[in-house]
């Protein structure tokens, strides 16, 4: 798995994949998929585009990477 810095540097993008159960799912250019919760307290008045700068999604990428690492450690 690439580091967060590798996923977001040099103007890399994320693309929208699908919406499911309250989450927007995106994919980085390297193929890492992550959810973005669609809750007012998390997203405020944000506008989610079909393609956007990966740098803007660091919070969600980091959160999902931590979740995956925790799940891996628990198994």
């Amino acid at each position: 798995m690439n580091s967060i810095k590798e996923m977001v540097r040099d103007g890399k993008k994320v693309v929208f994949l699908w919406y499911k159960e309250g989450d927007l799912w995106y994919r980085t250019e390297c193929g890492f998929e992550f959810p973005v919760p669609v809750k007012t307290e998390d997203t405020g008045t944000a506008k989610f585009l079909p393609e956007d700068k990966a740098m803007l999604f660091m919070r969600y990428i980091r959160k999902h990477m931590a979740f995956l690492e925790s799940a891996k450690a628990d198994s």
Side-chain angles (χ1 to χ4, degrees):
M1 181 181 331
N2 290 354
S3 72
I4 293 174
K5 286 182 182 180
E6 292 170 327
M7 289 185 208
V8 303
R9 71 176 175 209
D10 301 325
K12 289 195 170 111
K13 303 280 186 182
V14 295
V15 294
F16 173 72
L17 299 173
W18 65 81
Y19 171 86
K20 183 176 181 184
E21 299 175 0
D23 292 323
L24 300 173
W25 281 84
Y26 282 83
R27 179 184 296 136
T28 64
E29 289 185 23
C30 69
F32 182 75
E33 296 178 3
F34 62 96
V36 175
V38 183
K39 299 175 186 169
T40 304
E41 61 270 13
D42 289 332
T43 59
T45 59
K47 181 177 181 179
F48 292 94
L49 304 171
E51 181 177 287
D52 212 339
K53 295 177 186 176
M55 181 71 73
L56 300 174
F57 290 79
M58 278 183 66
R59 170 185 178 191
Y60 305 107
I61 294 169
R62 180 178 289 113
K63 185 176 180 178
H64 195 59
M65 287 177 81
F67 168 77
L68 293 175
E69 287 297 320
S70 175
K72 184 178 178 181
D74 290 344
S75 61

